[in-house]
Amino acid sequence: MTTPANLQKRIQRVEMCDIVKRFPGVLANNKVCIEVNAGEVLALLGENGAGKSTLMRQLYGLYRPDGGQILIDGQPQVFHSPADAIAAGIGMIHQHFMLVPTLTVAQNVALGLKSSREPQLDLERVSKRIQELAQAYGLKVDPEAYVWQLSVGEQQRVEIIKALYRGASIIILDEPTAVLTPQEVNDLFVTLKRMTQEGHGLVFISHKLHEVMAISDRIAVLRDGQMIGSRPAKGVTRDDLVKMMVGREVKPLAPQPLQTGPVCLGISGLRAMGDRGTEALRGVDLEIHASEIVGVAGVSGNGQRELAQCLAGLRKNTAGTIQLNGQDITQASLLERMAAGQSYIPEERMRDGAIREFSVQENLFLRDHAAPQYTNGIFLNFARMAARTREVIQQYSIKAPGGDTPIKNLSGGNIQKLIMARELSRQPKALIAAQPTRGVDIGATEYIHQRLLEQRANGTAILLISEDLDEIRTLSDRIAVMYEGQIIGIVARGEATVEQIGLMMAGIPLQETRAKASA
Amino acid sequence: MNELFSLAVITGILTSAIRLATPYLFAAVGEAFAQSSGVVNLGVDGIMLVGAFVAFYVTLQTGNLWLAVLAAALVGLLMGLLMSLISVTLKAEQGISGIGLYMFGLGLSSLLFKLLVGTVQTIDGFKVIKIPLLGDIPMIGEIFFQHSLPVYAAFLLVPVAWWFLEKTTWGLKIKAVGQNPAAADSLGVSVDKVRYFSVCLGSVLAGLAGASLSTALVNLFQENLTAGLGFIAVALVYFGGWKPAGILVGALLFSTVNAFQLWMQVLGVNISSDVAVMLPYLLTIAALVFATNRVRQPAALNKPFERGEN
Amino acid sequence: MKKHNVWMAICALLVAALVLTACGQAATPAPAAKVVRVAVVMPSSTTDMAFSQSMYSALVAVQKEMGGEAAMEIKYSENMFKVPDAAAAIRDYASQGFDIVVAHGSQYGASVEEIAKDFPGTTFAWGTDVNTFGLPNVYAYTAAAQEGGYVNGVLAAKLTTSKQIGVTGPVEVGDAKTYIDGFVQGVASVDPSITVNKTWTGSFSDVALMTEAAKTHIAAGADVLTGSSQSVVGSIGAAKENGKVLWFGTQSEQTTLAPELVVASQVYDWTAMIKEIIASRAAGTLGGKTYTLQLSNDGLKIVFNAGYNLPADVKAAADAAIEGIKGGKITVNP
Ligand SMILES: Nc1ncnc2c1ncn2[C@@H]1O[C@H](COP(=O)(O)OP(=O)(O)OP(=O)(O)O)[C@@H](O)[C@H]1O
Ligand SMILES: [Mg+2]
């Protein structure tokens, strides 16, 4: 069971040549060529649905190319399943983690491998080897822990260990940073650096350009399934990349302050339990006014998720009240909250926001199918719904062959755009947006930000929960920083520096920092 | 009433309970394998019927009980292959295919019985084997160590199944495929192969459950001999939280209450027979309601797997 | 394409299941002119060694007597334990023009009452019950099972040495109950100190539980067992495995199941009744009467197992009981 990563024959060079991949109604890859060499990081960029994941899934044996060739050190390869790719030395960290939550870390790693004591498992040896790898690459994990107990960052480390354990020398990372906190991203980059030093070749996919520029040696850009170009990372500017990806320039937003209205969403003394039985919210007080965006910043796991769920009505609070326009909605059901004018963009979009097997159109009308404009008496007016679906696909530039495509076939970012479209089209009084642009490309991020500002201008009170500090700082009129289930401080736009906010996120109140600074 | 708590009666109840639990254990442990891999096989009762008939018929013709057991295992395997083909390869709705398999088994066993046997006959089944020494311990010996081979085998199956699921590479694959087939697939584990294996293994055990009924417990065959026993076995899997030990507890609970109510009636305890007969079911339902631990439920239960979903 | 395959497979499986069930039905050639067409719907199978088999054997016997399939056609639906299915079958047979439709189960009463009104030209017979619903085309039939029960009880009381007798039955209704009530009276007439313990399993079909019920009686000390319903074969199996307890049968002759242990069986003989129904129909009476199988009208018979060495005095006591019941000197309460 123990084939140390460094014993296996190292791959020097992987080439994918003229790769073509079709899905019903989509040409996902159109004669794409890329190459990855040992010891380098190749960044793969592109808008949502450009075909990045599809390309990499072919390298990992999950899909068979419809055309083209995969060469490893010059030898043509045919991968019938991931087993073949793994055997050839390819590893992949998927955009959506591939872990079994009910099993331990060691069991997840051992899955599918021969044991030295076949048919018995030898988890002690696996654990030992995991610890060796963890040591060598700076990946802290507990082999005996159950995966469901792990944070997202820890889960990602398990995924990396899974690939290393199998002796992968070329490792694909599909949007590994989308779910990580800034600190975790730094840790990941340390690990990635170490991997390249060890001679691994890495493919790194991300929508965050500063990350791409920080970590990669070469950058390749895909657009609409075609390779736009590939160039060394040195000397490339953000604007160059944006232009390659989107085909136009995308300017950073600079929202103007607005006259805010009366308090719309009032939260006081809110307490709630977390999933693991500990108290996740320990008395949260917050007021959001009409025409105001309040951003909630914080290291993930400090109660942001639970706060969003409590507000949405998905989690029971143990104390405190929530008011919407003066009406107490603490005990209100989801439906009642919706009726009262609240909208919710969930963080776990696959689980809470959409139904995988349903089509784009069905998902778009999950909420409003009974609205008068889409019904004829008791029947649904499908023609109107279809027309509206086409409109949304166009406006939000959702890449989908049509309104009847099941959303499980959409790329990750496009699902997020769809949910945004659904929630924003309702003209809510209050909007809870949790990680609204996670995994969304630059062009679409800009579009979503514009929509949020538009809502704000229309008088909506918006609570924006995000781990992307840039996003928070760009959009928010006020920033509330959460720490250990409480709001440790609220600052107005421009009132605090990034560093000060970072310290607040670490649990140090603003007054202390200022006091120190003035002392 | 006092009689009910005499040593002799308690011994009697527990002996009955151990015996009665046998077919439930075989069938439910088998179903636990299938379900752990993500396939609900509602055809257990049908497989049991065919297994019961085949074992009965082979014994009737040859008198060879080992041949009978082997034949029952074999037809179980064939029916398992059929179920896998429909629900794994063709990805049909599992509930419907299972019910179809049940009806098929019910019809097939009845037809074969009419064609080949005609009327109810008894056979010489597995004899009680008293384990030397252990069987002589007062009470304990009678309760646990004076049974026929299939009864011992059923109880032995529980730790073996636990070992298989928890301690072997195959068990790990089965559980992973049932919880997150995409994850297993991404590590090169063939989801279909694992599901075929688990469903077939479960079906072989269902065939043996039927054989234990016709060759060890009642020593005869009659149309619809199982009378829905296989469906209770499916419920026991949920009750037991997909764990062999949990299933053992559930099966024993069910059979003990059943044996208890039989003894209550025999001893003339003044209670309506309708209530007595309902007891085991009432208790099972109550226990199911309170057994709220759904954590271990295979997340991919009832879901066909197709690669390429994000 | 994929979906298509799935449905093909499921359909194939269902068709196979249906064909298999259908194969179970007696295949009868197309009816010739002037045959009596009889259909019967039964809750269990024709091979149950009990209730359903007793009716089916009687029909076959009458058919043989009348000159085979040329004179009488028999069609049956068995295992109709679900009443709605049975009702559908009854209606089907009536609309196919069968002369006589027998609904062989007390649970079918309501269905018969409803359907008989729609087919005034068809004769319906149902049992076991006494209610003809005041309809001119419905016969009801029942068995005075307590009579044979009494005789079996007398025999059992004479043969028990442990003074403990076990009775197993499905549910406490119909002829299962009357048989056992008669049995208890028979035992008491010989020796009131003998205990008769009763177990009801709650199911007509749960053989495994019936087996365990018999084993429980044996473990509790019973040396004579009896019982009623199609699942009772399980009890006989348990008696046979034990090898030392005696068995008394009812409904059908059960000797073959355990030739060394079965002392006697009360046998339901529906042939006389069937012949009479056919004859009255030919004479223009379509129904409106209740039949009761009794010892006195030879509808009930006590069949002794020739292979069992029954002491002469015990046999004499049984014969006396039979004569007493026939002559009205002994009355057995149902
Ligand atoms: N299994 C599938 N069936 C049908 N269409 C698919 C399937 N997988 C992907 N597609 C389509 O192929 C195109 C490329 O998708 P892909 O997932 O590769 O995009 P991506 O570049 O990874 O985007 P994102 O940044 O949003 O993850 C999309 O239009 C998507 O809808
Ligand atoms: Mg992707």
Side-chain angles (χ1 to χ4, degrees):
Chain A
M1 189 160 227
T2 48
T3 328
N6 42 15
L7 280 191
Q8 188 149 352
K9 173 176 78 63
R10 278 259 170 259
I11 297 177
Q12 288 309 317
R13 182 185 178 80
V14 171
E15 291 159 279
M16 297 181 80
C17 308
D18 293 328
I19 298 290
V20 177
K21 182 68 192 172
R22 284 183 203 91
F23 292 117
V26 190
L27 184 53
N29 290 149
N30 186 8
K31 299 216 167 200
V32 177
C33 299
I34 60 158
E35 54 173 80
V36 196
N37 298 302
E40 73 165 1
V41 178
L42 170 74
L44 202 52
L45 281 182
E47 299 186 85
N48 296 129
K52 306 179 295 290
S53 297
T54 303
L55 186 66
M56 288 302 113
R57 287 169 148 243
Q58 294 169 83
L59 183 54
Y60 191 60
L62 280 165
Y63 295 152
R64 293 277 295 279
D66 295 324
Q69 250 193 338
I70 297 172
L71 303 172
I72 292 184
D73 291 335
Q75 296 297 313
Q77 308 281 330
V78 180
F79 297 151
H80 297 276
S81 87
D84 296 340
I86 293 168
I90 312 276
M92 181 161 178
I93 318 303
H94 297 265
Q95 191 167 357
H96 303 270
F97 290 156
M98 296 287 190
L99 294 169
V100 184
T102 48
L103 299 180
T104 64
V105 170
Q107 285 174 326
N108 268 284
V109 171
L111 177 59
L113 291 175
K114 276 245 164 311
S115 152
S116 61
R117 291 194 290 146
E118 207 57 51
Q120 291 222 64
L121 287 165
D122 55 354
L123 292 177
E124 302 78 34
R125 271 178 80 165
V126 177
S127 297
K128 229 179 100 213
R129 177 81 188 123
I130 290 175
Q131 256 141 7
E132 284 167 24
L133 286 171
Q135 196 77 51
Y137 291 91
L139 297 157
K140 220 180 102 237
V141 286
D142 171 10
E144 260 83 61
Y146 282 93
V147 165
W148 60 264
Q149 300 173 313
L150 304 183
S151 71
V152 178
E154 287 171 309
Q155 291 186 23
Q156 184 166 70
R157 279 177 248 156
V158 178
E159 286 282 27
I160 295 173
I161 286 182
K162 262 164 64 180
L164 292 173
Y165 197 102
R166 284 165 174 71
S169 64
I170 300 290
I171 297 180
I172 305 155
L173 300 117
D174 194 351
E175 297 194 33
T177 57
V179 292
L180 299 186
T181 59
Q183 181 53 43
E184 284 171 328
V185 171
N186 288 341
D187 294 346
L188 174 69
F189 281 6
V190 172
T191 302
L192 297 188
K193 286 257 160 62
R194 206 168 303 176
M195 285 163 75
T196 48
Q197 280 157 19
E198 293 278 324
H200 293 280
L202 305 179
V203 181
F204 178 82
I205 302 177
S206 173
H207 291 293
K208 298 180 187 163
L209 297 181
H210 61 270
E211 292 176 0
V212 167
M213 292 188 289
I215 191 79
S216 49
D217 300 300
R218 278 188 310 119
I219 300 173
V221 179
L222 277 177
R223 195 199 300 162
D224 288 333
Q226 269 175 314
M227 180 55 78
I228 296 298
S230 142
R231 58 188 56 177
K234 258 211 184 76
V236 177
T237 65
R238 178 184 177 277
D239 290 345
D240 293 343
L241 292 176
V242 172
K243 224 182 252 161
M244 281 173 84
M245 276 169 67
V246 191
R248 65 181 165 89
E249 282 183 32
V250 176
K251 290 254 158 56
L253 292 170
Q256 297 304 310
L258 283 179
Q259 181 62 47
T260 57
V263 173
C264 176
L265 196 60
I267 306 159
S268 76
L270 199 65
R271 289 175 173 270
M273 302 299 282
D275 284 339
R276 299 185 197 160
T278 51
E279 193 165 48
L281 294 183
R282 303 190 298 129
V284 172
D285 300 292
L286 192 60
E287 285 182 339
I288 304 150
H289 301 247
S291 294
E292 183 186 38
I293 297 181
V294 173
V296 175
V299 176
S300 84
N302 275 289
Q304 300 97 309
R305 236 182 93 219
E306 289 79 6
L307 176 62
Q309 288 172 342
C310 272
L311 293 177
L314 292 172
R315 183 178 289 272
K316 271 248 153 305
N317 59 321
T318 48
T321 57
I322 306 166
Q323 291 198 328
L324 183 61
N325 282 336
Q327 178 191 348
D328 188 334
I329 56 162
T330 317
Q331 301 299 328
S333 71
L334 260 134
L335 218 63
E336 288 160 352
R337 283 169 206 240
M338 270 162 53
Q342 184 179 298
S343 267
Y344 173 54
I345 298 161
E347 174 183 351
E348 302 251 345
R349 50 197 181 231
M350 275 301 193
R351 202 188 67 199
D352 301 336
I355 302 176
R356 299 167 51 88
E357 274 72 25
F358 279 22
S359 70
V360 170
Q361 176 168 328
E362 284 163 334
N363 270 293
L364 195 57
F365 286 94
L366 273 184
R367 275 199 186 169
D368 288 339
H369 56 264
Q373 64 267 41
Y374 300 119
T375 51
N376 298 324
I378 60 166
F379 299 105
L380 297 174
N381 185 340
F382 282 106
R384 279 244 182 94
M385 285 164 72
R388 170 74 186 139
T389 308
R390 277 195 299 274
E391 213 176 283
V392 166
I393 289 180
Q394 168 86 67
Q395 277 177 359
Y396 283 75
S397 58
I398 294 173
K399 286 225 169 57
D404 51 359
T405 312
I407 62 153
K408 66 181 182 192
N409 288 343
L410 294 194
S411 80
N414 281 305
I415 296 174
Q416 181 72 348
K417 291 193 214 170
L418 181 68
I419 296 173
M420 284 298 299
R422 181 179 73 206
E423 297 303 325
L424 293 184
S425 62
R426 299 181 57 241
Q427 299 296 345
K429 293 202 184 78
L431 172 67
I432 321 293
Q435 323 289 356
T437 57
R438 172 180 286 176
V440 176
D441 65 44
I442 299 183
T445 298
E446 181 204 30
Y447 185 77
I448 289 174
H449 284 174
Q450 275 169 353
R451 290 287 85 75
L452 287 174
L453 292 173
E454 217 172 271
Q455 292 289 324
R456 163 175 169 267
N458 289 343
T460 306
I462 299 174
L463 184 72
L464 170 69
I465 298 174
S466 174
E467 271 154 26
D468 184 340
L469 209 49
D470 290 339
E471 175 168 60
I472 296 254
R473 278 165 40 88
T474 317
L475 295 179
S476 314
D477 297 302
R478 287 187 297 145
I479 301 172
V481 182
M482 276 194 93
Y483 180 71
E484 295 198 333
Q486 283 174 321
I487 291 185
I488 189 170
I490 300 179
V491 293
R493 185 196 303 278
E495 201 188 309
T497 62
V498 185
E499 288 69 33
Q500 283 170 329
I501 295 177
L503 285 171
M504 285 166 80
M505 284 165 68
I508 301 159
L510 193 57
Q511 301 88 301
E512 263 176 50
T513 330
R514 288 208 175 124
K516 256 192 210 132
S518 58
Chain B
M1 190 72 206
N2 288 338
E3 249 185 302
L4 202 50
F5 300 103
S6 76
L7 282 185
V9 170
I10 291 172
T11 309
I13 290 175
L14 295 179
T15 314
S16 285
I18 297 273
R19 200 163 39 216
L20 274 176
T22 304
Y24 293 100
L25 282 177
F26 276 117
V29 168
E31 178 71 7
F33 281 121
Q35 289 201 9
S36 294
S37 79
V39 182
V40 178
N41 182 0
L42 288 182
V44 190
D45 208 56
I47 302 172
M48 283 179 69
L49 279 169
V50 180
F53 172 77
V54 168
F56 163 80
Y57 187 66
V58 170
T59 312
L60 192 67
Q61 293 301 318
T62 67
N64 187 335
L65 287 164
W66 292 111
L67 209 60
V69 167
L70 192 72
L74 206 69
V75 294
L77 179 68
L78 289 177
M79 291 185 73
L81 279 172
L82 183 63
M83 177 71 193
S84 322
L85 178 73
I86 297 172
S87 63
V88 179
T89 305
L90 300 176
K91 308 191 195 305
E93 219 287 313
Q94 292 174 5
I96 297 176
S97 358
I99 294 293
L101 193 71
Y102 160 64
M103 282 162 54
F104 175 73
L106 179 64
L108 182 67
S109 60
S110 298
L111 173 68
L112 291 176
F113 177 69
K114 277 209 195 78
L115 289 181
L116 301 176
V117 185
T119 105
V120 178
Q121 296 181 39
T122 49
I123 49 170
D124 286 327
F126 282 97
K127 292 273 172 301
V128 167
I129 298 173
K130 188 166 156 186
I131 309 259
L133 296 176
L134 289 176
D136 292 324
I137 307 172
M139 249 184 104
I140 305 285
E142 195 176 327
I143 295 171
F144 295 107
F145 303 111
Q146 298 185 19
H147 289 286
S148 54
L149 260 177
V151 180
Y152 295 127
F155 281 83
L156 224 65
L157 179 64
V158 174
V160 171
W162 170 83
W163 172 81
F164 187 79
L165 274 175
E166 299 299 326
K167 296 285 163 196
T168 68
T169 49
W170 266 95
L172 186 62
K173 283 191 223 176
I174 291 175
K175 287 189 293 182
V177 162
Q179 289 288 357
N180 189 351
D185 181 55
S186 77
L187 292 179
V189 174
S190 164
V191 173
D192 284 7
K193 209 153 97 188
V194 170
R195 289 193 167 167
Y196 260 80
F197 174 83
S198 310
V199 171
C200 288
L201 179 61
S203 302
V204 166
L205 289 174
L208 293 179
S212 76
L213 201 57
S214 66
T215 62
L217 257 61
V218 303
N219 295 344
L220 55 83
F221 185 84
Q222 193 186 46
E223 288 174 47
N224 193 19
L225 179 76
T226 53
L229 191 156
F231 290 97
I232 294 189
V234 174
L236 283 175
V237 175
Y238 284 80
F239 177 91
W242 293 268
K243 281 188 256 183
I247 290 170
L248 176 68
V249 170
L252 279 178
L253 186 70
F254 184 75
S255 65
T256 306
V257 178
N258 229 332
F260 176 75
Q261 65 94 358
L262 287 177
W263 273 93
M264 251 177 22
Q265 294 196 43
V266 166
L267 298 176
V269 176
N270 206 355
I271 173 174
S272 154
S273 65
D274 301 319
V275 175
V277 164
M278 269 181 340
L279 262 179
Y281 298 92
L282 281 179
L283 203 86
T284 309
I285 292 171
L288 267 177
V289 170
F290 290 112
T292 46
N293 181 11
R294 286 279 157 277
V295 176
R296 279 183 59 106
Q297 165 150 9
L301 201 59
N302 237 328
K303 293 190 191 117
F305 173 71
E306 214 158 353
R307 182 182 287 166
E309 305 181 356
N310 287 315
Chain C
M1 180 62 210
K2 264 254 163 73
K3 278 272 173 299
H4 191 66
N5 283 343
V6 173
W7 288 112
M8 293 279 283
I10 291 185
C11 289
L13 197 61
L14 289 181
V15 167
L18 290 178
V19 168
L20 287 172
T21 334
C23 286
Q25 322 260 320
T28 350
K34 276 310 321 148
V35 295
V36 186
R37 302 180 66 203
V38 182
V40 56
V41 176
M42 299 173 286
S44 50
S45 99
T46 56
T47 57
D48 68 353
M49 278 273 172
F51 187 65
S52 295
Q53 184 162 1
S54 73
M55 175 56 75
Y56 184 66
S57 324
L59 285 168
V60 173
V62 172
Q63 183 187 47
K64 204 180 239 166
E65 206 173 299
M66 287 180 57
E69 279 165 14
M72 177 178 164
E73 179 194 349
I74 305 174
K75 267 228 163 130
Y76 65 85
S77 298
E78 58 182 346
N79 290 323
M80 294 279 136
F81 46 88
K82 286 195 215 107
V83 174
D85 293 353
I90 294 168
R91 187 174 285 281
D92 266 7
Y93 284 128
S95 52
Q96 280 172 32
F98 277 81
D99 300 308
I100 301 168
V101 179
V102 183
H104 192 51
S106 47
Q107 63 269 50
Y108 302 153
S111 316
V112 169
E113 180 178 11
E114 189 190 316
I115 297 166
K117 288 181 194 147
D118 299 343
F119 297 92
T122 307
T123 295
F124 292 87
W126 80 288
T128 55
D129 206 296
V130 293
N131 194 348
T132 62
F133 312 114
L135 293 173
N137 61 333
V138 173
Y139 286 107
Y141 56 81
T142 178
Q146 68 274 15
E147 296 188 359
Y150 187 92
V151 179
N152 278 355
V154 169
L155 285 163
K158 293 260 177 206
L159 293 172
T160 177
T161 51
S162 70
K163 304 253 178 233
Q164 199 169 326
I165 296 173
V167 179
T168 53
V171 272
E172 226 172 332
V173 293
D175 62 343
K177 180 177 180 333
T178 51
Y179 168 75
I180 289 170
D181 287 347
F183 185 87
V184 172
Q185 293 171 52
V187 172
S189 75
V190 175
D191 181 353
S193 72
I194 297 172
T195 18
V196 180
N197 292 320
K198 295 177 247 178
T199 319
W200 306 98
T201 62
S203 160
F204 282 92
S205 53
D206 195 336
V207 180
L209 197 58
M210 200 59 100
T211 309
E212 201 55 43
K215 286 183 180 168
T216 307
H217 280 297
I218 296 168
D223 63 349
V224 174
L225 299 178
T226 188
S228 158
S229 103
Q230 50 272 25
S231 53
V232 90
V233 290
S235 299
I236 305 173
K240 188 179 169 194
E241 193 188 317
N242 173 275
K244 289 192 213 74
V245 298
L246 298 178
W247 177 263
F248 288 91
T250 185
Q251 295 180 336
S252 269
E253 194 190 338
Q254 291 163 344
T255 306
T256 53
L257 285 171
E260 327 77 52
L261 306 174
V262 177
V263 180
S265 307
Q266 160 173 252
V267 174
Y268 291 4
D269 187 348
W270 307 100
T271 44
M273 177 191 87
I274 294 165
K275 280 195 279 192
E276 201 182 321
I277 290 177
I278 293 173
S280 341
R281 186 180 161 85
T285 313
L286 297 190
K289 217 179 123 191
T290 299
Y291 288 99
T292 304
L293 298 190
Q294 286 173 312
L295 288 170
S296 57
N297 63 11
D298 278 344
L300 296 179
K301 286 179 191 133
I302 303 296
V303 178
F304 291 92
N305 175 5
Y308 183 80
N309 196 2
L310 191 63
D313 61 317
V314 180
K315 173 85 165 56
D319 287 339
I322 294 171
E323 287 316 310
I325 294 169
K326 278 186 179 173
K329 267 189 254 127
I330 302 173
T331 43
V332 192
N333 303 318

